Amino acid sequence: MEAEERDAGSDRTPGSVSDPARDPARDSVRDSVDDHVARWLPVLPGLDPDIEGAVTRMQKITVRLRRFRERSLVDFALDRHEFDTLHQLIARGGKAAPSDLAADLDLAPASVTGRLDALERRGFVRRAPSTTDRRRVNVEVTEEGRATWLGAMDVVGHEEYRLLGTLSSDERRQLSDLLRRVMRAAEHPPEHPPERKRE
């Protein structure tokens, strides 16, 4: 099937792999992705409904959380680049050299300088001479900057806890472990990926 063929209810095009036996008990509780998979099964008889369902659900949940984050940035009058810069700064304990932030954000130093200038004007960060090297300047998050970042984070965090709170603690641990295995495969792709079959 060509990559251009897409389901109207999803931004993902199914891949074709072997179809395992299904558990009828799972049909007792359905969601919108079940309908998506059901539409594609007659089109791609070799479709693995569990792979398609898992990937599509991960995509939809990610999109939902991204929308919550964007909404929270609007509520706290933060631009995305301001939030990202505060996020990386706080991840370093609230204090860092501009060069470190540039590396974390994968930006040129001049771009980070512009971001820090804007954050400093808003009172979210301050610059201070390094205590170990007077030639260097460190950037520190202010209480107002930390509170603004935390407020934006809380909106997303609440939704994350609401969604994953439908699972027990053991189920959440199991889910995290399973996704870790998938993530490791993503981080270590095969050296010689299989060639795509020509139509």
Side-chain angles (χ1 to χ4, degrees), residues 30 63 111 120 124 140-141 192 199:
R30 296 177 61 84
V63 168
S111 297
E120 191 170 32
F124 292 161
E140 301 175 358
V141 66
H192 304 288
E199 297 295 335

Side-chain angles (χ1 to χ4, degrees), residues 5-69:
E5 293 183 45
R6 294 182 179 272
D7 178 67
S10 170
D11 60 357
R12 171 174 153 71
T13 300
S16 180
V17 293
S18 60
D19 184 9
R22 301 307 311 278
D23 180 4
R26 283 193 280 180
D27 292 335
S28 61
V29 180
R30 296 177 61 84
D31 63 9
S32 62
V33 176
D34 289 311
D35 297 330
H36 161 82
V37 173
R39 282 194 299 271
W40 279 104
L41 279 174
V43 181
L44 295 174
L47 178 71
D48 185 320
D50 292 325
I51 291 178
E52 179 65 20
V55 172
T56 304
R57 287 183 177 94
M58 286 190 289
Q59 289 178 336
K60 286 182 174 291
I61 290 170
T62 298
V63 168
R64 180 176 179 82
L65 292 176
R66 185 181 300 121
R67 287 173 179 167
F68 266 79
R69 174 164 295 175

Side-chain angles (χ1 to χ4, degrees), residues 9 25 51 53 89 92-93 118 122 136 146 156 164 170 176 197:
I51 291 178
L89 178 59
R92 284 184 169 271
R122 298 191 64 180
R136 297 183 59 186
R146 186 181 297 274
V156 182
L164 293 176
D170 287 341
S176 182
K197 294 182 179 179

Side-chain angles (χ1 to χ4, degrees), residues 5-198:
E5 293 183 45
R6 294 182 179 272
D7 178 67
S10 170
D11 60 357
R12 171 174 153 71
T13 300
S16 180
V17 293
S18 60
D19 184 9
R22 301 307 311 278
D23 180 4
R26 283 193 280 180
D27 292 335
S28 61
V29 180
R30 296 177 61 84
D31 63 9
S32 62
V33 176
D34 289 311
D35 297 330
H36 161 82
V37 173
R39 282 194 299 271
W40 279 104
L41 279 174
V43 181
L44 295 174
L47 178 71
D48 185 320
D50 292 325
I51 291 178
E52 179 65 20
V55 172
T56 304
R57 287 183 177 94
M58 286 190 289
Q59 289 178 336
K60 286 182 174 291
I61 290 170
T62 298
V63 168
R64 180 176 179 82
L65 292 176
R66 185 181 300 121
R67 287 173 179 167
F68 266 79
R69 174 164 295 175
E70 297 302 326
R71 189 183 309 165
S72 73
L73 297 185
V74 172
D75 292 342
F76 286 87
L78 275 175
D79 290 332
R80 182 57 189 259
H81 67 269
E82 292 177 322
F83 175 85
D84 290 343
T85 306
L86 285 173
H87 194 73
Q88 293 299 334
L89 178 59
I90 292 171
R92 284 184 169 271
K95 180 187 296 185
S99 57
D100 293 331
L101 291 176
D104 292 341
L105 294 164
D106 194 23
L107 292 173
S111 297
V112 172
T113 298
R115 290 188 178 196
L116 295 176
D117 288 343
L119 288 171
E120 191 170 32
R121 286 194 295 270
R122 298 191 64 180
F124 292 161
V125 303
R126 57 175 169 265
R127 290 178 168 96
S130 169
T131 57
T132 58
D133 186 348
R134 290 292 177 177
R135 295 171 298 180
R136 297 183 59 186
V137 173
N138 285 330
V139 180
E140 301 175 358
V141 66
T142 64
E143 287 302 317
E144 184 178 359
R146 186 181 297 274
T148 301
W149 167 83
L150 188 59
M153 284 289 292
D154 278 347
V155 174
V156 182
H158 177 79
E159 182 64 4
E160 290 173 346
Y161 274 79
R162 187 185 74 83
L163 296 179
L164 293 176
T166 61
L167 305 177
S168 68
S169 59
D170 287 341
E171 288 171 333
R172 291 194 296 271
R173 186 177 301 110
Q174 183 181 22
L175 175 62
S176 182
D177 290 342
L178 292 173
L179 289 175
R180 182 183 296 109
R181 286 164 56 186
V182 176
M183 190 67 197
R184 284 180 59 83
E187 292 175 340
H188 301 87
E191 294 182 6
H192 304 288
E195 293 184 4
R196 182 178 179 182
K197 294 182 179 179
R198 295 183 179 179

